[in-house]
Amino acid sequence: MEASPPLEVIDLPQGQVSYRAAGPQASDRPPVVFLHGLLVDGRLWAAVADLLAQHGVRSYAPALPLGAHPAPMRPDADLTPRGVARLALDLIAALDLRDVTLVGNDTGGAIAQFVLDTDPAPIGRVVLTNCDAFDAFPPPPLVPLIRALRHPALVAAMAPGLRSARLRHGRFGFGPLASQPFDPELTGSWVRPLADGRIRRDLAKVARGIDPNDLLDVSTRLKQTAGPVRVLWGDDDGYFPVDLGRRLAGAFADATFETVAGGRTFLPLDHPDRVAAAILATT
């Protein structure tokens, strides 16, 4: 993997948002915007972004305010899933992007669906990897985690234990999300922001806003999505089963569905080549 591009910062109505841009500034291919899930940041997509850059694609990987973001949002920021979708749309507008390829993973896949339901105008096509869908928001095994994240004091009590890479990478941490070993420096940087009470406040607002009925309602309108959709799904995911991905693809009017053998939730980490190929195939 190439060295990460420098972090850039942009002012949005919700607060300052950091992002990494990769690929040529001038490109005749549609720009890509990546949306990640809870407790990680845009570096989840780093290898995918490097591969796309080799094909002349410009991509943007923001650090969404989902618990691993470097700077807190404004206290009055709407951080419900639809509010984070609005933040993503505000970022797209501020960067003056059009005909965007929107790519989502994990909670970011749910956010992408809220983006489509809120304002699909700047979105030309969509790629979704293992993610929340319908009323699996969160999927049943992750319900206790979401409930815990709603309480900043509880997260503060948990945070010191996450300094241990062994705990972070264990079965109650990031461990089940990938088949390849994690980089302890990367995962350590993902949990370090939880030491800041304002970050824990933001994360609690997100967790409290997660309601399976909301995403289920959005799913009834996904057929209105105008552009093509590709759903790429790891088939060894204990949180997001293959049947969920297949059902999600069926909710769109124009979608293809493909599985990745041995893939888990963090498909962009384990199989960046497959994710990049799915993105390139849409453009």
Side-chain angles (χ1 to χ4, degrees), residues 38-78:
L38 290 170
L39 298 174
V40 304
D41 65 13
R43 287 170 295 173
L44 180 80
W45 304 99
V48 179
D50 288 344
L51 291 169
L52 293 179
Q54 294 172 18
H55 290 270
V57 176
R58 179 80 165 172
S59 66
Y60 301 84
L64 300 172
L66 303 180
H69 50 300
M73 297 293 99
R74 296 191 173 98
D76 61 349
D78 178 1

Side-chain angles (χ1 to χ4, degrees), residues 14 78-89 110-111 113-119 137 209-210 214-215 217-219 221:
Q14 301 84 352
D78 178 1
L79 299 183
T80 61
R82 192 173 292 276
V84 178
R86 171 49 63 188
L87 179 148
L89 285 162
I111 300 302
Q113 293 168 61
F114 279 102
V115 167
L116 295 173
D117 195 54
T118 301
D119 182 7
F137 185 46
I210 291 176
D214 290 342
L215 191 57
D217 178 57
V218 167
S219 73
R221 294 182 291 276

Side-chain angles (χ1 to χ4, degrees), residues 121-149:
I123 310 303
R125 63 210 58 78
V126 181
V127 176
L128 297 174
T129 67
N130 299 50
C131 65
D132 302 82
F134 305 102
D135 57 353
F137 185 46
L142 294 179
V143 168
L145 173 63
I146 298 303
R147 288 176 176 167
L149 297 181

Side-chain angles (χ1 to χ4, degrees), residues 140-163:
L142 294 179
V143 168
L145 173 63
I146 298 303
R147 288 176 176 167
L149 297 181
R150 292 171 179 168
H151 304 282
L154 182 55
V155 175
M158 295 164 52
L162 296 175
R163 295 172 188 160

